[in-house]
Short mmCIF file of all heavy atoms in Angstrom, two decimals:
data_model
loop_
_atom_site.label_atom_id
_atom_site.label_comp_id
_atom_site.label_asym_id
_atom_site.label_seq_id
_atom_site.Cartn_x
_atom_site.Cartn_y
_atom_site.Cartn_z
N TYR R 35 5.64 16.16 7.01
CA TYR R 35 5.37 17.43 6.18
C TYR R 35 6.60 18.04 5.80
O TYR R 35 7.54 18.41 6.62
CB TYR R 35 4.62 18.49 7.14
CG TYR R 35 4.44 19.82 6.42
CD1 TYR R 35 3.48 19.87 5.37
CD2 TYR R 35 5.17 20.88 6.75
CE1 TYR R 35 3.38 21.07 4.71
CE2 TYR R 35 5.02 22.06 6.16
CZ TYR R 35 4.13 22.19 5.14
OH TYR R 35 3.98 23.40 4.54
N VAL R 36 6.94 18.18 4.49
CA VAL R 36 8.21 18.70 3.98
C VAL R 36 8.11 20.13 3.97
O VAL R 36 7.39 20.70 3.34
CB VAL R 36 8.44 18.16 2.56
CG1 VAL R 36 9.76 18.59 2.10
CG2 VAL R 36 8.48 16.55 2.58
N THR R 37 9.20 20.80 4.50
CA THR R 37 9.19 22.18 4.61
C THR R 37 10.19 22.80 3.50
O THR R 37 9.99 23.93 3.13
CB THR R 37 9.66 22.76 6.03
OG1 THR R 37 10.91 22.18 6.28
CG2 THR R 37 8.61 22.38 7.02
N ASP R 38 11.17 21.97 3.11
CA ASP R 38 12.21 22.49 2.12
C ASP R 38 12.66 21.19 1.26
O ASP R 38 12.85 20.08 1.88
CB ASP R 38 13.33 23.16 2.81
CG ASP R 38 13.07 24.51 3.38
OD1 ASP R 38 12.73 25.36 2.61
OD2 ASP R 38 13.20 24.55 4.62
N GLY R 39 13.00 21.43 0.14
CA GLY R 39 13.66 20.41 -0.72
C GLY R 39 12.83 19.30 -1.28
O GLY R 39 11.53 19.45 -1.36
N VAL R 40 13.40 18.15 -1.47
CA VAL R 40 12.73 16.96 -2.09
C VAL R 40 13.27 15.80 -1.45
O VAL R 40 14.36 15.53 -1.02
CB VAL R 40 13.22 16.91 -3.65
CG1 VAL R 40 12.47 15.77 -4.17
CG2 VAL R 40 12.79 18.19 -4.30
N GLY R 41 12.28 14.94 -1.09
CA GLY R 41 12.53 13.63 -0.43
C GLY R 41 11.78 12.45 -0.93
O GLY R 41 11.08 12.57 -1.96
N LEU R 42 12.07 11.43 -0.34
CA LEU R 42 11.40 10.00 -0.70
C LEU R 42 10.92 9.36 0.56
O LEU R 42 11.39 9.47 1.64
CB LEU R 42 12.51 9.16 -1.36
CG LEU R 42 13.19 9.55 -2.53
CD1 LEU R 42 14.38 8.54 -2.79
CD2 LEU R 42 12.27 9.68 -3.71
N VAL R 43 9.75 8.68 0.34
CA VAL R 43 9.19 7.85 1.38
C VAL R 43 9.03 6.56 0.74
O VAL R 43 8.44 6.53 -0.41
CB VAL R 43 7.85 8.45 1.94
CG1 VAL R 43 7.23 7.44 3.05
CG2 VAL R 43 8.03 9.72 2.54
N SER R 44 9.55 5.42 1.31
CA SER R 44 9.33 4.13 0.76
C SER R 44 8.78 3.17 1.72
O SER R 44 9.31 3.22 2.96
CB SER R 44 10.79 3.64 0.19
OG SER R 44 10.61 2.32 -0.45
N THR R 45 7.93 2.31 1.34
CA THR R 45 7.34 1.32 2.19
C THR R 45 8.20 -0.01 1.99
O THR R 45 8.97 -0.14 1.19
CB THR R 45 5.86 1.03 1.83
OG1 THR R 45 5.89 0.55 0.52
CG2 THR R 45 5.03 2.26 1.99
N ARG R 46 7.87 -0.96 2.88
CA ARG R 46 8.56 -2.31 3.01
C ARG R 46 8.39 -2.92 1.56
O ARG R 46 9.23 -3.65 1.24
CB ARG R 46 8.00 -3.14 4.06
CG ARG R 46 8.69 -4.53 4.12
CD ARG R 46 8.31 -5.23 5.35
NE ARG R 46 8.71 -4.73 6.59
CZ ARG R 46 10.00 -4.73 6.99
NH1 ARG R 46 10.87 -5.34 6.35
NH2 ARG R 46 10.32 -4.30 8.24
N ASP R 47 7.18 -2.79 0.99
CA ASP R 47 7.03 -3.42 -0.28
C ASP R 47 7.53 -2.70 -1.43
O ASP R 47 7.17 -2.76 -2.67
CB ASP R 47 5.53 -3.89 -0.53
CG ASP R 47 4.62 -2.71 -0.46
OD1 ASP R 47 5.05 -1.59 -0.24
OD2 ASP R 47 3.40 -2.99 -0.43
N SER R 48 8.39 -1.60 -1.19
CA SER R 48 9.02 -0.74 -2.10
C SER R 48 8.22 0.30 -2.96
O SER R 48 8.62 0.80 -3.97
CB SER R 48 9.84 -1.63 -3.08
OG SER R 48 10.79 -2.39 -2.52
N ASP R 49 7.02 0.49 -2.43
CA ASP R 49 6.20 1.67 -3.06
C ASP R 49 6.98 2.92 -2.66
O ASP R 49 7.45 3.06 -1.48
CB ASP R 49 4.78 1.73 -2.48
CG ASP R 49 3.94 0.70 -3.00
OD1 ASP R 49 4.26 0.19 -4.11
OD2 ASP R 49 2.88 0.22 -2.47
N VAL R 50 7.15 3.77 -3.56
CA VAL R 50 7.92 4.99 -3.35
C VAL R 50 7.12 6.26 -3.67
O VAL R 50 6.40 6.24 -4.77
CB VAL R 50 9.27 5.03 -4.12
CG1 VAL R 50 10.03 6.28 -3.79
CG2 VAL R 50 10.07 3.81 -3.88
N VAL R 51 7.06 7.23 -2.90
CA VAL R 51 6.52 8.51 -3.09
C VAL R 51 7.58 9.64 -2.99
O VAL R 51 8.33 9.64 -2.08
CB VAL R 51 5.42 8.79 -2.01
CG1 VAL R 51 4.83 10.20 -2.14
CG2 VAL R 51 4.33 7.89 -2.09
N ARG R 52 7.61 10.42 -4.06
CA ARG R 52 8.65 11.58 -3.99
C ARG R 52 7.78 12.73 -3.41
O ARG R 52 6.62 13.08 -3.88
CB ARG R 52 8.95 11.93 -5.53
CG ARG R 52 10.01 12.96 -5.58
CD ARG R 52 10.29 13.28 -7.09
NE ARG R 52 11.31 14.13 -7.29
CZ ARG R 52 12.57 13.92 -7.43
NH1 ARG R 52 12.94 12.65 -7.32
NH2 ARG R 52 13.49 14.94 -7.51
N ILE R 53 8.31 13.40 -2.47
CA ILE R 53 7.70 14.51 -1.62
C ILE R 53 8.47 15.76 -1.76
O ILE R 53 9.67 15.79 -1.88
CB ILE R 53 7.52 14.05 -0.21
CG1 ILE R 53 8.79 13.49 0.47
CG2 ILE R 53 6.36 13.06 -0.13
CD1 ILE R 53 8.69 13.25 1.88
N THR R 54 7.76 16.86 -1.94
CA THR R 54 8.52 18.18 -2.08
C THR R 54 7.93 19.17 -1.13
O THR R 54 6.87 18.83 -0.32
CB THR R 54 8.18 18.69 -3.54
OG1 THR R 54 6.82 18.87 -3.73
CG2 THR R 54 8.90 17.81 -4.57
N ALA R 55 8.49 20.23 -0.96
CA ALA R 55 8.06 21.37 -0.08
C ALA R 55 6.63 21.64 -0.16
O ALA R 55 6.09 21.74 -1.12
CB ALA R 55 8.91 22.62 -0.25
N SER R 56 6.01 21.69 1.02
CA SER R 56 4.59 21.89 1.26
C SER R 56 3.68 20.64 1.09
O SER R 56 2.51 20.78 1.24
CB SER R 56 4.03 23.04 0.48
OG SER R 56 3.80 22.69 -0.78
N GLU R 57 4.30 19.48 0.84
CA GLU R 57 3.48 18.33 0.80
C GLU R 57 3.58 17.42 2.04
O GLU R 57 4.56 17.55 2.82
CB GLU R 57 4.06 17.33 -0.33
CG GLU R 57 3.74 17.86 -1.77
CD GLU R 57 4.04 16.91 -2.80
OE1 GLU R 57 5.13 16.35 -2.91
OE2 GLU R 57 3.22 16.61 -3.70
N THR R 58 2.59 16.62 2.31
CA THR R 58 2.43 15.91 3.45
C THR R 58 2.17 14.49 3.14
O THR R 58 1.30 14.17 2.21
CB THR R 58 1.18 16.43 4.42
OG1 THR R 58 1.55 17.85 4.59
CG2 THR R 58 1.23 15.66 5.70
N VAL R 59 2.75 13.51 3.74
CA VAL R 59 2.62 12.07 3.52
C VAL R 59 2.21 11.48 4.92
O VAL R 59 2.76 11.75 5.91
CB VAL R 59 3.83 11.35 2.91
CG1 VAL R 59 3.64 9.88 2.91
CG2 VAL R 59 4.17 11.93 1.61
N LYS R 60 1.19 10.62 4.93
CA LYS R 60 0.78 9.84 6.06
C LYS R 60 1.18 8.37 5.75
O LYS R 60 0.75 7.75 4.88
CB LYS R 60 -0.69 9.89 6.41
CG LYS R 60 -1.08 9.20 7.63
CD LYS R 60 -2.51 9.22 7.99
CE LYS R 60 -2.98 8.64 9.37
NZ LYS R 60 -2.24 7.42 9.65
N CYS R 61 2.01 7.88 6.76
CA CYS R 61 2.38 6.45 6.72
C CYS R 61 1.55 5.75 7.70
O CYS R 61 1.41 6.12 8.89
CB CYS R 61 3.84 6.31 7.12
SG CYS R 61 4.95 7.13 6.06
N PRO R 62 0.77 4.69 7.29
CA PRO R 62 -0.23 4.01 8.13
C PRO R 62 0.50 3.35 9.35
O PRO R 62 1.66 3.02 9.41
CB PRO R 62 -0.79 3.02 7.18
CG PRO R 62 -0.47 3.36 5.73
CD PRO R 62 0.71 4.16 5.88
N ALA R 63 -0.34 3.19 10.35
CA ALA R 63 0.14 2.41 11.57
C ALA R 63 0.71 1.12 11.26
O ALA R 63 0.21 0.40 10.35
CB ALA R 63 -1.07 2.22 12.58
#
Side-chain angles (χ1 to χ4, degrees):
Y35 175 74
V36 180
T37 59
D38 291 297
V40 181
L42 302 173
V43 178
S44 181
T45 62
R46 181 173 292 285
D47 57 4
S48 300
D49 285 335
V50 181
V51 173
R52 184 180 185 91
I53 51 179
T54 60
S56 79
E57 289 189 310
T58 303
V59 172
K60 181 178 187 319
C61 300

